[in-house]
Amino acid sequence: MEEHATKSAIVGMGFEGPGAQNVDEFWKLLENGENHITDIPTDRWNNTAFYSPDPDKPGKSYVTKAGFVSRPFDFDNKFFNINDTEARSMDPQQRFALRCAYMAMEDAGLTREMLAKSRTGVYMGSMNQDFSGMYAGPSPAINNYTVTGVSNTIIASRIAFFFDLRGPAMVIDTGCSSALVAIHQAILGLRNGKLGRSFRLLF
């Protein structure tokens, strides 16, 4: 987004979600009225072991369907200068954020060189931390990258570090309104002059 007086504009977008791996596919999904809520596939987890029709049964879930992104662990970590061990320890949310930020940058016609060292901020909305549940107790999978890999606060920092952005980098958790509140805070940052008039904004 760019600031012009008191106006803000979307100049680039990136998207990954159930049924769509980019913005064009997402628009087609909306135009076709497609529903990508499906039965939980067995390659994600054995839902028969966890399902119960009783929503109050301890240790069980009564959910049988969900929206799933394709290939959640496919990630070109070398492109983002992340080693293999660290990549395996990263919450998929961090991977999606990096890819979507890069897609938004390309969509806006920007390059890393144009953004590097600029007063560009990253405002993210995030509320779930499901990935951290994989490291409960004395897990043998814990390593030097686990703390940053499971932390939601690192999502924005990943983008800021890779693109060498020098503005604020923050993750906002206000529940279901997280993304909207993050956008609001970003626009306030543009309008109060803290980020400079030539500011570009990545979500």
Side-chain angles (χ1 to χ4, degrees):
M1 301 179 72
E2 295 182 358
E3 182 191 29
H4 298 286
T6 59
K7 297 181 180 179
S8 300
I10 298 173
V11 297
M13 298 175 64
F15 178 85
E16 284 190 50
Q21 292 187 307
N22 53 57
V23 172
D24 290 338
E25 291 181 2
F26 181 60
W27 287 123
K28 291 178 182 178
L29 184 155
L30 294 177
E31 289 173 352
N32 296 332
E34 297 177 23
N35 182 355
H36 287 269
I37 302 300
T38 63
D39 291 332
I40 296 172
T42 56
D43 63 346
R44 293 300 178 92
W45 66 83
N46 179 15
N47 199 48
T48 58
F50 298 100
Y51 172 75
S52 171
D54 180 0
D56 297 320
K57 190 169 184 178
K60 295 291 184 178
S61 169
Y62 69 102
V63 174
T64 61
K65 297 180 182 293
F68 292 89
V69 295
S70 61
R71 303 187 300 275
F73 290 100
D74 283 2
F75 181 58
D76 187 2
N77 55 292
K78 300 297 184 184
F79 177 81
F80 291 102
N81 299 320
I82 297 172
N83 67 56
D84 293 342
T85 302
E86 183 173 11
R88 287 191 295 271
S89 301
M90 288 171 58
D91 188 322
Q93 292 182 97
Q94 297 182 17
R95 306 171 186 214
F96 292 138
L98 281 168
R99 286 200 298 255
C100 287
Y102 196 90
M103 282 190 279
M105 182 194 71
E106 286 189 315
D107 191 45
L110 301 173
T111 66
R112 289 180 66 188
E113 290 73 20
M114 294 169 64
L115 291 174
K117 297 179 173 58
S118 66
R119 291 172 62 194
T120 298
V122 184
Y123 295 76
M124 304 290 297
S126 179
M127 62 174 284
N128 291 327
Q129 292 181 298
D130 297 343
F131 190 74
S132 62
M134 298 175 59
Y135 297 94
S139 170
I142 292 176
N143 57 47
N144 293 333
Y145 300 107
T146 302
V147 171
T148 53
V150 303
S151 173
N152 276 10
T153 60
I154 301 298
I155 300 175
S157 301
R158 292 277 189 193
I159 297 171
F161 180 78
F162 177 71
F163 291 103
D164 195 13
L165 309 178
R166 305 299 174 87
M170 64 180 71
V171 176
I172 296 173
D173 182 355
T174 56
C176 295
S177 64
S178 297
L180 185 61
V181 174
I183 291 172
H184 176 70
Q185 291 300 315
I187 291 174
L188 289 179
L190 283 170
R191 293 182 176 176
N192 66 22
K194 290 183 178 179
L195 301 168
R197 298 184 62 81
S198 62
F199 173 79
R200 268 87 172 181
L201 179 64
L202 296 175
F203 293 107

